[in-house]
Amino acid sequence: MVPFIKGGGQERGLRSGTENLAGIIGFGKACERAAANTVLFDKTIRPLQSYLEQHLVQMGAVIFGDQAKRLPNTSFFAFPRLDGVTLLTALDKKGFAVASGSACSSNSNEPSHVLLAMGIDKELAQGAIRVSMGVETTLEQVKSFITSLKMEIERLKQLAAMAA
Amino acid sequence: MKVEKMTMPIYMDYSSTTPVDPRVAEKMIPFITEDFGNPASRSHPYGWTAEKAVEIARKEVAKLVNADPREIVWTSGATESNNLAIKGAGNFYSTKGKHIVTLATEHKAVIDAVREMERLGFTTTFLQPEPDGLVDIEKFKAALRPDTVLASVMMVNNEIGVIQDITALGNICREQNIIFHVDAAQATGKVEIDLEKLPVDLMSFSAHKTYGPKGIGALYVRRKPRIRIEAQMHGGGQERGMRSGTLATHQIVGMGEAFRIAREEMGEENARIKKMQHRLYEGLTEIDETYVNGDLEKRVPHNLNISFNYVEGESLVMAIKGIAVSSGSACTSASLEPSYVLRSLGRSDEMAHSSIRFSIGRFTKEEDIDYTIQLLKEKIGRLRELSPLWEMFQDGVDIDKVEWAAH
């Protein structure tokens, strides 16, 4: 590799610059814990994901990549004909911090390039919501999320019906 | 792995890095644990809180150097800033010309980035400074050519602490429409920086030389007249596309707080450090055959770089383990090569080898200075007692004229 940042020659010359000591120690510790907890991570979160996605499907959601091997903590889904941004805003008001895709691209209103590359219809991709959970997420939180989501969807559908 | 705790020597190496000010650390912690959001997340308050903190910090950094917050681009540190400025501006404006001027005494991050530009077809001039460490303005002017696109000169030298005349150099660049980059990693909090007045287009900053954390820095990119740079890191399009990558909120908050403290306290602090520098200078120059490297006046109060003649460099470093200092910069202290900065000033290899950089700062106490003086006096005395060269010098022999017999 040709080094990309040159200077003091740290990291055997591959990446110069004073080492971010605290950051590196933090990364090391996080990796140590991740290595010890990978199985636990799967065990605790996989059931939550199954529970969440069962309900999402019942509510008419399309879950992206549901046939593929996936992480236990990430569910990326959309409801046909429902706008993602509106839903996100409503969920935020109810106290749920979820995303429309990756944070880097949350600035733009463009649909996820990942979904488009997977061949997902542009209109459906526009409504995408990404829920990502952690080891501290509880079943109660998931249940409460589902309840709120149901209410919002009903409300949005009624509004749409009134407008039509 | 546990690192063995040892009795720590007195820290006299503030130019390598500074401790994080406890006020800075305190400010950072909530952004690691509670307010951990990604500043780019737009759909919830975790993101908004983080973004707000980032923008407050940006204002603080801008304020210290009297810039517009929109002119501050976050990076991982001054090394990245220097690389981004030199490669980014050099490549963007390469249609104008492909010649770069810099100093032989720049930090490695500038020197190696400029060398990298040579690989891309640029020609370069590395100017030698005068024996006092300062670049001669006329020589700088003479080095500029019609195809010179970029000049890069550091504000404060990391090894000898001298302050270059950035205004004069920048004015020359302005007249000739040359982009002027300044590495100010060692200058923040030590020298007044007013970018509204300074004719500078790009300026590199680091947090960890000014009591902030390692791993965060910034590049100032002038808006009026607008300077353009080619991004070196591509991705999420953060920092208006100039530098992608998730922003390190806690690091940024730390840099902002560190620069705020610097702005508010630098006047009083520099006066105090100047007194200690003077005390150290007075004490150490009582030792015979000591030479200060770099101009004494145009110099930050934090630095004193001294060559001790007739002492062998490695033995000296070994003998003064009670203080943490460096011979040369930290980046190159792993190598036994004499400092290229001191060589550029015309110091001999021996003198460069037996030079010590004392750098002091916010938490240095007067008794640390006194201990250092005592330690150096005692150890140098002892080392010279063992030195035949010192004996010859004492006897009045001009060692440079001795013709050594070949064995």
Side-chain angles (χ1 to χ4, degrees), chain B residues 135-153:
Chain B
V135 64
D136 181 274
I137 304 292
E138 291 309 314
K139 285 183 188 166
F140 178 79
K141 205 169 186 172
L144 303 176
R145 315 192 309 214
D147 64 335
T148 305
V149 63
L150 176 78
S152 180
V153 176

Side-chain angles (χ1 to χ4, degrees), chain A residues 4 6-7 92 98 103 106-107, chain B residues 40 42-43 45 83 87 112 232:
Chain A
F4 169 69
K6 297 190 127 195
D92 172 59
V98 292
S106 70
N107 230 334
Chain B
R42 290 295 160 91
S43 54
N83 275 260
K87 297 176 191 169
D112 286 359
Q232 300 298 303

Side-chain angles (χ1 to χ4, degrees), chain B residues 289-350:
Chain B
E289 284 295 300
T290 53
Y291 298 90
V292 175
N293 296 308
D295 191 275
L296 253 183
E297 293 309 312
K298 287 173 189 155
R299 184 193 202 97
V300 290
H302 305 67
N303 172 296
L304 205 54
N305 189 313
I306 297 186
S307 290
F308 299 94
N309 209 359
Y310 306 112
V311 178
E312 201 261 318
E314 228 180 310
S315 326
L316 178 59
V317 170
M318 294 300 285
I320 54 171
K321 287 288 179 206
I323 55 172
V325 288
S326 94
S327 48
S329 76
C331 308
T332 45
S333 67
S335 75
L336 285 174
E337 285 286 299
S339 148
Y340 66 90
V341 172
L342 299 183
R343 297 272 305 277
S344 293
L345 308 187
R347 290 288 191 221
S348 67
D349 275 12
E350 289 75 24

Side-chain angles (χ1 to χ4, degrees), chain B residues 11-46:
Chain B
Y11 196 68
M12 301 283 277
D13 203 13
Y14 277 73
S15 296
S16 293
T17 191
T18 56
V20 173
D21 190 294
R23 292 170 286 179
V24 171
E26 200 183 329
K27 194 107 187 187
M28 289 170 68
I29 288 167
F31 291 95
I32 302 176
T33 48
E34 300 146 39
D35 300 319
F36 57 81
N38 185 332
S41 289
R42 290 295 160 91
S43 54
H44 50 69
Y46 293 91

